Amino acid sequence: MSEQNTTIWKAPVATAPIDATVTIPGSKSLSNRFLILAALSRKPVRIEGLLRSRDTELMMGALRALGVAFQEDESEPTTVTVTPPVEGFTGNTEVFCGLAGTVMRFVPPLTLFAKGPVRFDGDEQAYARPMGPVLEGMRQLGARIEFEGEEGHLPFTVTPPTQLGNLKGKPQKVRIDSSASSQFISGLLLIGSRLPDGLILEHTGAQLPSMPHIRMTMEDVDAAGGHIDMPQRGRWIVDHAELQMAAHAVVEPDLSNAAPFLGAALIASGSVRIPNWPAHTTQPGGFLPHILHRFGATITLGGEPFNEVNDCECFPDDYNGILEVSSDGVIEGLGECDLSAIGEITPSIAAIAVFANAPSVLVGIGHLRGHETNRLEALATEINRVGSDAQEEAEGISIAPVARDLMHGAVMETYADHRMATFAAMLGLAIDGIEVRNVETTRKTIPDFVGMWNGMLRGRRQ
């Protein structure tokens, strides 16, 4: 086992109410979508506020392997100019995906337009993550896929089709089951505009997780000059278009990464403010005010009280971009709560639910078994490890209340999953003796999580 994986971090306990302002780095989801769309553009794109983390570095490395060039601003590394290859994507090359879902699901479709075969590999943990649906979609578009191990999983080699298009002047039709991840849909929607006659994409499964991420992809493609229509749920029509992002694009803060910090205001009591909260967003984290309000927190948006009427979308005219979450430490149970649209913030919601005064049953998230780890199993295991009560369900997890003084410290496993590490840190706010194995996995999306966490606690109200 590597030294990084054996590192133990003692999570700090909050001994007084929190009073802090936390600035969140750029959105990983938007950063990697912007990088893909910039690579598909005709001219260079300057991206400001780009998240610099392991996932985005892996994305940039993958795109470099395909011939995309990057130039950093010398004074601000989060500002990067992306120059697409003039003569198409490089072939006869290799791409390393690490454990980044957006890299392993978004980059392979680009190789439909490459000049030769491209081999994909990643971290050992990535071999368990499903890839089949997006690769099946590529097969239907004419690509050949050769697997080195289990079919539908890394590592594999993609050989692009000799000719794109169906010679009928009609959009190519692809049908896949994207029940395990919305990224399969997004990966194909991102390249659909470049197909000679566009694309008709259909989802064949019963469940379609994380629609906000799909809507994010649709909106980003539209902003780059494409057009995606969704005439009915599970069916998309992508028009052929020459994509070109705006010459200057700005990445929003990662609202899902705000969840552990905002949740801290409930677990430890006090107030946490997040600046630059967007008035409109397609990020799943945009639903956080709604969920935290259900937990009993007081929410203000730009100084105005949040309520179920505005529900994250109707902001005051003089909105100043500040979201504030305050709590007296009393946390209401959620009862049954459907998180199918916002599954990625389940670990943070589960951490808050551990300290609630009534049960919470989080449903619609069976697809989390195929994330960086089986998050449902991991959450139940770690919650029970500290003396609380959680049960893995078919499509979610149930969490029953246990008195805080009956819970105890433990060494928490992170499973090489950044959100399991932040989940453990949240538990550590109220349970003394929580130690986190491999907290460095948070670098996947938050380059300095430990520094930010300690900084939030130093901002406690005295």
Side-chain angles (χ1 to χ4, degrees):
M1 185 177 291
S2 70
E3 180 181 354
Q4 182 186 44
N5 288 337
T6 59
T7 300
I8 300 291
W9 173 66
K10 189 178 187 327
V13 175
T15 57
I18 294 172
D19 187 1
T21 298
V22 181
T23 300
I24 302 296
S27 162
K28 180 196 74 172
S29 297
L30 286 172
S31 290
N32 278 345
R33 282 166 173 77
F34 282 14
L35 289 171
I36 290 284
L37 288 169
L40 287 165
S41 294
R42 303 182 305 279
K43 300 176 182 178
V45 177
R46 179 181 173 88
I47 302 177
E48 181 182 327
L50 187 76
L51 175 67
R52 301 305 298 268
S53 69
R54 186 180 189 229
D55 271 26
T56 52
E57 296 301 325
L58 286 165
M59 178 63 82
M60 292 168 69
L63 294 176
R64 282 193 189 95
L66 296 180
V68 180
F70 298 90
Q71 182 177 357
E72 293 183 11
D73 187 301
E74 293 183 1
S75 62
E76 180 47 73
T78 63
T79 298
V80 176
T81 299
V82 184
T83 302
V86 175
E87 298 181 356
F89 294 120
T90 304
N92 300 301
T93 188
E94 294 194 9
V95 167
F96 183 73
C97 304
L99 192 56
T102 47
V103 178
M104 65 182 73
R105 278 83 176 259
F106 290 1
V107 176
L110 295 180
T111 62
L112 291 168
F113 315 105
K115 297 179 179 179
V118 180
R119 180 179 182 271
F120 288 83
D121 204 347
D123 292 351
E124 184 178 351
Q125 296 99 323
Y127 291 5
R129 301 195 69 178
M131 288 286 302
V134 73
L135 299 176
E136 172 57 27
M138 293 168 58
R139 273 201 188 104
Q140 293 177 33
L141 292 171
R144 188 171 79 249
I145 318 293
E146 299 172 87
F147 296 101
E148 297 175 26
E150 183 181 356
E151 186 168 345
H153 296 263
L154 289 167
F156 55 81
T157 297
V158 179
T159 300
T162 56
Q163 179 175 311
L164 284 168
N166 55 19
L167 304 180
K168 298 179 181 178
K170 296 181 179 180
Q172 290 179 268
K173 182 177 288 188
V174 168
R175 302 179 78 245
I176 61 170
D177 183 351
S178 193
S179 300
S181 175
S182 66
Q183 291 175 348
F184 303 139
I185 296 294
S186 286
L188 295 169
L189 292 180
L190 285 165
I191 59 89
S193 303
R194 191 144 176 179
L195 296 173
D197 301 300
L199 173 69
I200 296 176
L201 179 59
E202 294 181 356
H203 165 63
T204 60
Q207 182 183 26
L208 184 60
S210 197
M211 274 301 298
H213 276 122
I214 294 174
R215 291 193 179 96
M216 176 189 294
T217 301
M218 294 171 64
E219 187 169 293
D220 292 343
V221 170
D222 284 0
H227 178 68
I228 301 177
D229 185 32
M230 186 173 68
Q232 62 194 61
R233 186 179 176 86
R235 188 171 189 268
W236 297 267
I237 300 173
V238 187
D239 295 340
H240 169 73
E242 295 292 328
L243 298 180
Q244 179 59 57
M245 286 187 67
H248 179 209
V250 179
V251 179
E252 297 174 2
D254 194 313
L255 306 187
S256 293
N257 280 341
F261 299 94
L262 293 173
L266 285 84
I267 295 171
S269 76
S271 298
V272 172
R273 294 164 295 279
I274 304 293
N276 306 314
W277 195 273
H280 168 74
T281 185
T282 53
Q283 294 187 59
F287 288 93
L288 273 168
H290 173 77
I291 297 293
L292 299 179
H293 187 258
R294 283 187 60 179
F295 270 125
T298 299
I299 316 289
T300 61
L301 300 166
E304 295 294 326
F306 168 85
N307 56 58
E308 297 303 317
V309 175
N310 64 39
D311 197 14
C312 314
E313 290 298 333
C314 298
F315 286 67
D317 292 338
D318 59 349
Y319 177 59
N320 63 9
I322 297 176
L323 172 72
E324 182 171 11
V325 174
S326 302
S327 173
D328 59 5
V330 177
I331 301 172
E332 305 292 337
L334 293 179
E336 183 170 307
C337 185
D338 186 350
L339 300 182
S340 57
I342 53 175
E344 69 176 35
I345 57 177
T346 296
S348 293
I349 294 169
I352 301 169
V354 166
F355 303 104
N357 59 13
S360 298
V361 182
L362 312 179
V363 300
I365 47 175
H367 61 281
L368 295 189
R369 293 186 173 90
H371 279 220
E372 282 83 341
T373 187
N374 179 338
R375 281 186 178 158
L376 296 182
E377 180 181 27
L379 286 168
T381 298
E382 299 308 310
I383 291 171
N384 290 324
R385 190 190 300 277
V386 301
S388 190
D389 184 2
Q391 298 294 325
E392 184 179 353
E393 310 288 353
E395 287 301 320
I397 184 171
S398 58
I399 302 170
V402 171
R404 292 194 183 198
D405 59 2
L406 296 180
M407 291 185 273
H408 53 78
V411 177
M412 308 287 286
E413 300 294 337
T414 56
Y415 310 87
D417 186 335
H418 58 129
R419 300 206 191 278
M420 290 303 300
T422 57
F423 157 83
M426 293 173 73
L427 294 189
L429 291 170
I431 305 174
D432 194 11
I434 293 290
E435 296 182 307
V436 185
R437 194 187 304 278
N438 188 23
V439 74
E440 293 87 352
T441 192
T442 54
R443 294 174 184 164
K444 177 182 175 72
T445 56
I446 310 178
D448 184 27
F449 171 75
V450 169
M452 292 174 63
W453 198 250
N454 289 332
M456 174 187 69
L457 290 175
R458 284 195 297 270
R460 300 190 284 258
R461 185 166 56 243
Q462 302 300 315

